Amino acid sequence: MEFDLAYLANQWPALMRGLWLTIQVSALSIVMSVTVGLCGAAIRVLQVPVVDKIVVGYVEFIRNTPLLAQLFFIFYGLPGLGLKLSLFWSGVLSLTLWAGAYQIENIRGGLETVGKGLREAAFSLGLSPWRFFRLIAAPMAVRVGLPSMLNTSISLLKNSSYLQAIGLAELTFVAIDRISMDFRTVEMFAAICVIYLALVLTLSFFASRLEYRLNTPFRT
Amino acid sequence: MTHLHATRLGALSTLATAALMTAISGAQAQSLPPLPDSIKSAGLLKAGVRCDQPPYGYKDETGKFAGVETDMAIQIATWAFGSADKIELTCVTAENRIPQLNGKKVDLLIATLGVTPERARVVDFSKPYRWGGSDMLVAKDSPIKKLDDVAGKTVIMLKGSTQAKWFEDTMPKVESLRLNTASDALQSLKQGRGDAYTHDAATLIVIAAKDPSLRLVGESFAVSDAAVGVRKNEAAWLAYVDAALDRMKAEGLYAKWVDKWVPADIRPFYTDAFTKPKPTAR
């Protein structure tokens, strides 16, 4: 079977609709998971009683269970407990919870590099723990943690393809759905791999720009 | 001793019955064309059947092949080789059945195979032996009473199913939720993620009979024929299969098998599918 470019051209609008949904879900989840990461890491580092144990439990739970099982639990399990989220928000929630756990660890790793001395200096200057975190620790931690945060965000973007399993019409869904009708396997999977690659490279480009900017004070 | 006698007697009577059966089928087999050498040389019939599609082809509690289409395969083996044991049944799925046939793992498919132009390019079809339509399952109190009522609503369907194609071609305005398995689809319907779940009527009837919270809409659409599949360019074998199907019909075997495999409360649908002409539907 030869590679049919005309077929791909025909399916292009459908693929673009899928791509748009992939971008929406991923962008929203990346922003939300970084927020979760910042909050969780702050709770861990500031050793907020009880809550920090919950954060530890959450991170362990997410990192040691399959994403697909978490997704099915959110989509099919939660309605049984009275919480029915739409397809879109089920997807965003599962990706956010998944990536959030990793972002907590990424940012916490960055926070470890903020020395004890700096912390004591901040406190002796009268900064509250929260202001210390916001003004000193977080910016430094994000700079150090950025490569691993980018890694997690790239994984999140790729893992958004799992959402096809609950019927969210993102990029992979479109490909699998068309293949099951037209049997054009090679064309479709080749096309979405190229699209994902372009998407990840774009994300990496912007992250390296951000890294460059955050490093401004350290450049000579 | 008595026990041994009984066994021997049993064996004798089985032998006598078998001899009688062979004599009878030998006489009737004259109505069938000669078995092509390619099949005869194997010494048994290699048939592909479904093992997850009750009542057509499935495995019973003991793991044995069961169902109407399984009985059809066994019947052809009996006519072709004189014994119901001269058969090798292979469990095939929707995805692998045509590769199994064309890879010569099996010599025919009686496996809920719908006749479509795409498939006709790669296999030959016998005469149709039954038809199969699509239907929709909805919640008991749903306002959906007929097919047109789903306009503007969300319909759950399986990726790549006949129904997905049909809705896309015929009612493109219908919002679709496409999932991977029948259990995902049913779960989603019960959680209210869609207004209806569309699939083969034969599958939905079984679900509806078991679940009082659901109801069939009952309007047939996307009706297609099911036929036996054989490899391309095996005309003599195809002719044999066609003649065997004619004979099953003439001897009223389909109705007998439906009675054997289908519970009485849902039986009429299946009896009609094998014995009545295909209904006109969209």
Side-chain angles (χ1 to χ4, degrees):
Chain A
M1 202 157 75
E2 80 289 8
F3 197 91
D4 191 345
L5 271 178
Y7 172 75
L8 266 187
N10 258 332
Q11 299 302 328
W12 202 248
L15 283 169
M16 287 302 105
R17 279 196 297 277
L19 172 64
W20 177 228
L21 202 55
T22 292
I23 292 173
Q24 283 177 299
V25 168
S26 303
L28 212 61
S29 303
I30 288 172
V31 170
M32 285 167 65
S33 66
V34 169
T35 312
V36 168
L38 283 169
C39 296
I43 290 166
R44 285 290 313 272
V45 167
L46 301 174
Q47 291 170 346
V48 182
V50 188
V51 191
D52 65 340
K53 295 286 178 298
I54 297 175
V55 171
V56 173
Y58 155 68
V59 170
E60 287 308 312
F61 181 80
I62 295 292
R63 291 207 303 184
N64 295 305
T65 51
L67 173 56
L68 198 58
Q70 296 163 13
L71 174 64
F72 280 147
F73 179 78
I74 288 169
F75 189 70
Y76 291 118
L78 285 188
L81 304 172
L83 180 66
K84 194 175 102 185
L85 293 170
S86 69
L87 266 178
F88 183 82
W89 289 107
S90 297
V92 169
L93 180 65
S94 69
L95 289 178
T96 299
L97 287 180
W98 177 83
Y102 287 89
Q103 300 292 24
I104 289 175
E105 294 300 281
N106 295 337
I107 296 169
R108 205 169 63 88
L111 284 171
E112 295 292 328
T113 65
V114 181
K116 224 180 161 110
L118 208 54
R119 180 175 178 152
E120 278 161 7
F123 288 168
S124 61
L125 283 172
L127 260 68
S128 65
W130 168 239
R131 293 191 71 191
F132 160 71
F133 181 79
R134 190 167 60 89
L135 299 174
I136 298 163
M140 291 179 75
V142 166
R143 185 159 57 223
V144 175
L146 199 66
S148 43
M149 288 168 72
L150 171 66
N151 232 336
T152 301
S153 301
I154 288 173
S155 297
L156 184 154
L157 181 72
K158 291 185 292 181
N159 283 346
S160 69
S161 66
Y162 277 112
L163 303 185
Q164 65 85 13
I166 59 169
L168 186 75
E170 45 70 58
L171 189 55
T172 305
F173 174 96
V174 173
I176 293 179
D177 190 47
R178 297 321 312 176
I179 287 167
S180 66
M181 292 203 193
D182 309 325
F183 307 106
R184 289 276 170 194
T185 317
V186 180
E187 287 85 345
M188 270 301 180
F189 281 133
I192 67 164
C193 282
V194 169
I195 296 172
Y196 276 118
L197 189 66
L199 212 52
V200 170
L201 290 176
T202 312
L203 184 62
S204 302
F205 172 75
F206 284 113
S208 64
R209 296 286 304 174
L210 182 64
E211 209 170 335
Y212 185 79
R213 277 201 54 183
L214 285 175
N215 269 315
T216 308
F218 300 96
R219 272 197 307 272
T220 49
Chain B
M1 273 312 261
T2 346
H3 188 71
L4 191 72
H5 261 115
T7 318
R8 198 182 286 159
L9 214 74
L12 262 174
S13 73
T14 314
L15 212 70
T17 319
L20 198 68
M21 292 270 284
T22 317
I24 293 170
S25 67
Q28 285 181 341
Q30 281 158 8
S31 65
L32 296 176
L35 193 63
D37 286 338
S38 58
I39 305 296
K40 199 189 257 170
S41 61
L44 49 65
L45 178 68
K46 292 188 285 177
V49 294
R50 298 298 296 264
C51 48
D52 57 351
Q53 297 285 310
Y56 297 139
Y58 63 106
K59 286 191 169 174
D60 65 11
E61 303 81 31
T62 62
K64 275 176 60 188
F65 284 99
V68 177
E69 293 181 346
T70 303
D71 273 353
M72 290 169 65
I74 293 171
Q75 188 62 63
I76 293 177
T78 310
W79 282 332
F81 296 101
S83 161
D85 296 331
K86 293 279 168 65
I87 190 161
E88 181 185 293
L89 290 165
T90 302
C91 171
V92 297
T93 67
E95 295 84 24
N96 78 11
R97 55 191 167 189
I98 287 176
Q100 293 261 32
L101 177 69
N102 285 337
K104 300 201 172 184
K105 298 276 186 285
V106 298
D107 289 322
L108 56 72
L109 291 173
I110 315 184
T112 64
L113 188 66
V115 179
T116 68
E118 292 84 11
R119 287 174 188 152
R121 283 204 300 265
V122 286
V123 299
D124 275 345
F125 285 111
S126 71
K127 298 174 179 172
Y129 57 85
R130 68 165 168 84
W131 47 266
S134 310
D135 206 329
M136 288 188 295
L137 208 55
V138 294
K140 188 145 213 85
D141 53 3
S142 163
I144 298 168
K145 303 271 190 248
K146 57 184 193 306
L147 188 53
D148 283 329
D149 291 347
V150 295
K153 296 220 158 66
T154 301
V155 178
I156 302 164
M157 53 192 80
L158 300 197
K159 286 176 197 153
S161 60
T162 324
Q163 294 79 24
K165 179 119 187 67
W166 187 88
F167 270 98
E168 198 171 273
D169 294 344
T170 320
M171 295 175 80
K173 291 262 162 63
V174 165
E175 200 61 46
S176 76
L177 171 56
R178 296 185 190 180
L179 299 172
N180 291 336
T181 68
S183 64
D184 285 352
L186 189 58
Q187 175 89 290
S188 298
L189 175 70
K190 295 184 73 134
Q191 289 180 350
R193 296 192 179 276
D195 302 289
Y197 158 34
T198 181
H199 205 168
D200 295 342
T203 308
L204 298 183
I205 286 171
V206 179
I207 301 171
K210 281 186 196 148
D211 192 333
S213 71
L214 302 172
R215 153 175 81 74
L216 275 175
V217 170
E219 182 175 344
S220 260
F221 60 97
V223 179
S224 64
D225 288 315
V228 177
V230 299
R231 280 181 292 275
K232 287 251 167 230
N233 304 318
E234 295 189 2
W237 177 223
L238 183 62
Y240 187 91
V241 171
D242 273 337
L245 292 175
D246 282 345
R247 188 165 154 193
M248 287 176 202
K249 194 173 211 168
E251 293 184 10
L253 294 176
Y254 292 126
K256 207 180 87 188
W257 288 324
V258 169
D259 286 354
K260 175 175 162 194
W261 296 112
V262 184
D265 53 334
I266 54 171
R267 196 174 291 156
F269 170 83
Y270 297 97
T271 312
D272 288 356
F274 279 99
T275 57
K276 296 231 171 102
K278 185 164 84 171
T280 49
R282 283 199 271 168

